Amino acid sequence: MRKSSSLFLACSVLCAVVLLAGCGSNPNSSIVVTLSPSSAQVDQGGTVNVSATVTSTGTITNQNVTWSLSGAGCRSTSCGSVTNQTGFSATYNAPASPPSSFAVSIMATSVANPSKFATTIVNVQAITVSIQNAVTELAAGSGRYYFTNFSASVQNDPANGGVTWTLTANGKACSPACGTISTPTIYYVQYAPPATVPAAPANTPTLTATSISDPSKSDNDTFTIFDGTAACGTGGNESLLNGQYAAVLQGWTGSAPNSTPLLFGATFTADGTGKITGGVDQFNPFVKESYTNASIQPSGSSYSVGPDNRGCLTLTDMTLTTYTLHFSLGGISSGVASKGDIIYFNQQSAIPSRASGILRKQDPSAFSLSALATNYALALDGWETSNGSLKHYALAGAFALNAGNISNGVCDANAGGHVLNSGGFWGTIPSIATADGTADATLQLPGANPGMSRLTAYIINSSELFFISFDLGDGTGGPIVAGRAIASSASFTSSSLSPNYIFRFTGNSSGATAALGVASFSGGLAGTVSGTMDQYAVGAASNQSLNGSYNLDSSTGRLSMAGAGNATLPVCYMATPADGVSAFCVSTDANASTGVFDTQPVATYGVNSLSGNFIFGTNAMNDTAASGLSGVATISSGSLQGTQDAGTPTGFTLGSAISAALSIHNDGTGSGGPNTVAVTNGTVLYVIDESSGAAAEVQVFEQ
């Protein structure tokens, strides 16, 4: 009996010791701490209330917590503070003026079991100030509207206090020597430069936007005031550019893959000595504010032309935006150029922008509706926003023009590979400004968002017009485009179609494409078409046959083709041959391309088919990787030597030497060196570089 009693007592004592030691049954060991909220965001000076809950599967001896604060990128009081602390809640107070945004951890630790805790992450957003349209240079000058608007963006300011504006040079107030600011608001201010470039340091002023809510937060824009009337220097050949000219350019702003399209157009008067005496321009960055009919300020504009006919042009408009362009001039008659290739590269702000296009001399005698032709063929290309995505848009068509009314319009359009059936369109050119040859125009264009598109028309002469959109590509309107119209006939016969054409196309759907080729027609209003096409798409080159039938509509000049070969044939609209254009075309495949047919005389071609001095450029840029090129070249016995200016995705270069050995076959096709394809009609040379990684673009050499 004693033996049994001792054993029972020993077991009882052992169990009591085990229970006191925990042995898996201590209720504090299963504690869980949770916080609400688990994460938060707060502006500087703001507060966040945090509550804690302590639970357990067993009995909790103490449900309270203690609070602590830690943070990356801050120390001590710069992290803020935790106040109103109780056993189950606390308030986090963000610092009133942190130097920058940071994150803190608010930790609640169980009193009953300090190994149990939970954390709330709070992102503290410090006020930031940024000047939206910072520039690196502005032209000195004067004029009634000669100023620029600066705007400031203020983030994370719960008081929405905005900014104050100051203008200094070398840390000291400098107005009016360095310019003046006027009509300031808490988000905007106008700046007008002095009439002439001031002495240092006033020639490099700093505009500062300072947060009203937190004066420790600001943004600065330091820029150089330059002399726009002498920005291009002197080339010695300024008399080559004399009279009124118009330019249309297409390109990109921003860096890939976030590039967005841009359009630029201008008409200006060059006096033959390097001075710009007037004109207007327009700028459409597609997704931001666009403008048109902005007066060019002679006091901030100038040009120069060098001995090789390459030149520089600065156009400063009433918004105080200076566009620096470079060009090459051709079509010279009686010592004056009638055409040119032109490129733009943004040198005024940190936002990379580049564009390329063509320059044409205007005929002021055509600046009236009565002077214009009655029928035109038309080509437009650009971009359309549909369902939030950007799609390349291409259109070719024809229309009649009578007293400013665009009627009997027919067209074929391609929006990102979605081919729109031939249909009608209409519009107006209500009046023409006799001073510069521009007009507000409207066109009802087919597309995902059909509606009346607003464009500026530039009258080149009675037979040629430029069109440039000034609507925004925000998806609410029609396509945003630029293009040309060339006079055409009111009716067409079998003689309207030449036996042979060379053609070029550029487009961009799932990727940028460029194509060159030759096409031969059997004759008559209907018959067969044959030829070849070299296409370069998304880094891959291919050669395709063109075999099929065609039909030419005698009333509209619409040339439709049906292919039996391995290429999808385009639809074209015939024009009266002018400026290298015999027809405007649009592809019916996924590339959404626009193109040009240029007459190719019947001949046996070779390297001696081309000789003399040429200008060259890339015209429109549909590829975000494309370079805007403008230059001059001499071709002799198949040897091409020249000089080019280039605006590339990575920078801007002037005066680079180029050379190529041409190989031309009997049909006018050939190459311009390794990994290139070329085609000529004896007057114009088209070249595509198909090297690995090259952009999909067509280089055009013309005299």
Side-chain angles (χ1 to χ4, degrees):
M1 290 293 294
R2 289 179 181 175
K3 187 176 181 179
S4 298
S5 297
S6 299
L7 179 62
F8 176 78
L9 179 60
C11 288
S12 299
V13 171
L14 177 62
C15 287
V17 171
V18 169
L19 286 173
L20 290 173
C23 250
S25 60
N26 182 353
N28 290 338
S29 66
S30 59
I31 283 175
V32 175
V33 181
T34 57
L35 291 181
S36 179
S38 59
S39 63
Q41 181 172 299
V42 64
D43 292 331
Q44 64 181 58
T47 61
V48 177
N49 293 318
V50 184
S51 60
T53 303
V54 180
T55 59
S56 174
T57 57
T59 302
I60 304 174
T61 58
N62 191 330
Q63 292 180 290
N64 290 335
V65 298
T66 59
W67 300 91
S68 60
L69 179 68
S70 62
C74 62
R75 294 182 179 180
S76 185
T77 57
S78 68
C79 292
S81 62
V82 179
T83 60
N84 302 327
Q85 297 182 30
T86 70
F88 53 85
S89 66
T91 299
Y92 170 70
N93 305 277
S97 182
S100 61
S101 298
F102 62 92
V104 294
S105 299
I106 303 171
M107 181 181 292
T109 302
S110 169
V111 173
N113 187 347
S115 68
K116 305 297 182 180
F117 60 88
T119 301
T120 290
I121 304 298
V122 178
N123 290 299
V124 179
Q125 303 298 306
I127 287 177
T128 60
V129 179
S130 60
I131 296 176
Q132 296 296 284
N133 51 333
V135 298
T136 57
E137 60 181 19
L138 290 173
S142 59
R144 181 179 178 186
Y145 300 107
Y146 205 60
F147 60 83
T148 189
N149 289 310
F150 285 93
S151 62
S153 172
V154 183
Q155 302 294 322
N156 312 317
D157 182 0
N160 295 318
V163 301
T164 58
W165 300 91
T166 55
L167 185 65
T168 59
N170 202 25
K172 299 179 181 179
C174 59
S175 186
C178 63
T180 57
I181 55 176
S182 60
T183 62
T185 72
I186 60 173
Y187 291 111
Y188 301 94
V189 72
Q190 291 180 349
Y191 168 80
T196 59
V197 178
N203 64 325
T204 55
T206 298
L207 181 69
T208 302
T210 302
S211 168
I212 293 174
S213 298
D214 183 357
S216 69
K217 306 298 190 301
S218 64
D219 189 28
N220 299 319
D221 180 19
T222 300
F223 51 87
T224 299
I225 301 171
F226 71 97
D227 184 357
T229 63
C232 283
T234 301
N237 204 17
E238 283 73 36
S239 61
L240 199 62
L241 198 68
N242 196 338
Q244 289 186 256
Y245 292 83
V248 55
L249 296 91
Q250 294 173 272
W252 300 92
T253 185
S255 301
N258 300 315
S259 302
T260 54
L262 72 83
L263 304 176
F264 176 78
T267 173
F268 61 90
T269 300
D271 74 344
T273 70
K275 296 182 177 63
I276 300 298
T277 60
V280 295
D281 65 15
Q282 71 177 98
F283 183 69
N284 189 341
F286 200 79
V287 294
K288 296 182 180 179
E289 183 178 359
S290 67
Y291 63 84
T292 188
N293 200 38
S295 299
I296 291 173
Q297 304 296 308
S299 59
S301 306
S302 62
Y303 74 95
S304 64
V305 182
D308 63 354
N309 299 344
R310 292 167 46 245
C312 165
L313 170 69
T314 58
L315 297 176
T316 301
D317 63 30
M318 58 189 270
T319 70
L320 209 56
T321 302
T322 298
Y323 298 95
T324 300
L325 306 109
H326 290 266
F327 56 79
S328 52
L329 298 177
I332 299 171
S333 177
S334 300
V336 176
S338 64
K339 64 168 60 176
D341 291 300
I342 188 165
I343 60 174
Y344 161 66
F345 189 83
N346 188 352
Q347 296 173 297
Q348 193 178 23
S349 75
I351 301 174
S353 300
R354 66 193 191 284
S356 64
I358 58 176
L359 178 72
R360 294 294 184 266
K361 195 174 190 298
Q362 294 175 279
D363 177 8
S365 69
F367 294 173
S368 67
L369 293 174
S370 61
L372 301 181
T374 55
N375 292 277
Y376 289 90
L378 172 72
L380 300 171
D381 85 302
W383 302 87
E384 181 178 72
T385 303
S386 177
N387 299 321
S389 62
L390 197 65
K391 296 180 179 179
H392 189 252
Y393 182 91
L395 177 147
F399 63 87
L401 180 63
N402 182 19
N405 294 313
I406 295 173
S407 60
N408 299 327
V410 291
C411 68
D412 289 82
N414 189 331
H418 175 61
V419 179
L420 303 172
N421 293 329
S422 176
F425 72 97
W426 61 93
T428 61
I429 303 178
S431 62
I432 299 172
T434 57
D436 50 49
T438 63
D440 292 335
T442 59
L443 287 175
Q444 178 77 28
L445 301 176
N449 302 296
M452 198 62 78
S453 296
R454 300 179 301 165
L455 307 96
T456 301
Y458 294 78
I459 311 304
I460 307 304
N461 51 54
S462 61
S463 299
E464 184 174 6
L465 314 175
F466 290 169
F467 288 100
I468 308 175
S469 294
F470 60 86
D471 285 324
L472 287 180
D474 56 4
T476 60
I480 308 305
V481 293
R484 304 166 72 187
I486 300 290
S488 65
S489 301
S491 62
F492 299 84
T493 65
S494 58
S495 63
S496 302
L497 195 64
S498 297
N500 299 320
Y501 292 92
I502 59 175
F503 60 83
R504 58 185 168 99
F505 282 81
T506 56
N508 192 327
S509 183
S510 57
T513 61
L516 290 177
V518 293
S520 297
F521 294 84
S522 61
L525 291 176
T528 60
V529 58
S530 62
T532 60
M533 177 176 71
D534 285 281
Q535 181 167 284
Y536 178 69
V538 197
S542 63
N543 181 269
Q544 305 176 23
S545 62
L546 305 178
N547 294 300
S549 60
Y550 74 87
N551 183 78
L552 177 62
D553 189 299
S554 61
S555 61
T556 64
R558 182 178 186 266
L559 179 65
S560 59
M561 290 168 271
N566 61 345
T568 303
L569 298 181
V571 175
C572 301
Y573 287 83
M574 305 303 298
T576 301
D579 200 19
V581 177
S582 293
F584 289 121
C585 307
V586 61
S587 74
T588 56
D589 58 14
N591 295 323
S593 301
T594 51
V596 170
F597 268 31
D598 193 358
T599 303
Q600 186 188 52
V602 177
T604 300
Y605 292 91
V607 293
N608 292 320
S609 298
L610 286 167
S611 64
N613 297 319
F614 292 77
I615 60 172
F616 67 89
T618 45
N619 300 170
M621 298 165 60
N622 289 320
D623 189 348
T624 58
S627 299
L629 302 179
S630 173
V632 295
T634 299
I635 300 177
S636 177
S637 301
S639 174
L640 186 153
Q641 304 291 326
T643 306
Q644 75 175 19
D645 303 320
T648 73
T650 58
F652 185 64
T653 59
L654 287 174
S656 301
I658 63 167
S659 63
L662 301 180
S663 174
I664 305 296
H665 304 143
N666 290 346
D667 64 353
T669 64
S671 69
N675 302 312
T676 67
V677 295
V679 63
T680 184
N681 62 0
T683 303
V684 180
L685 175 70
Y686 301 112
V687 179
I688 296 177
D689 183 357
E690 297 181 336
S691 303
S692 176
E697 57 188 350
V698 179
Q699 297 182 36
V700 182
F701 293 76
E702 59 184 335
Q703 292 181 311

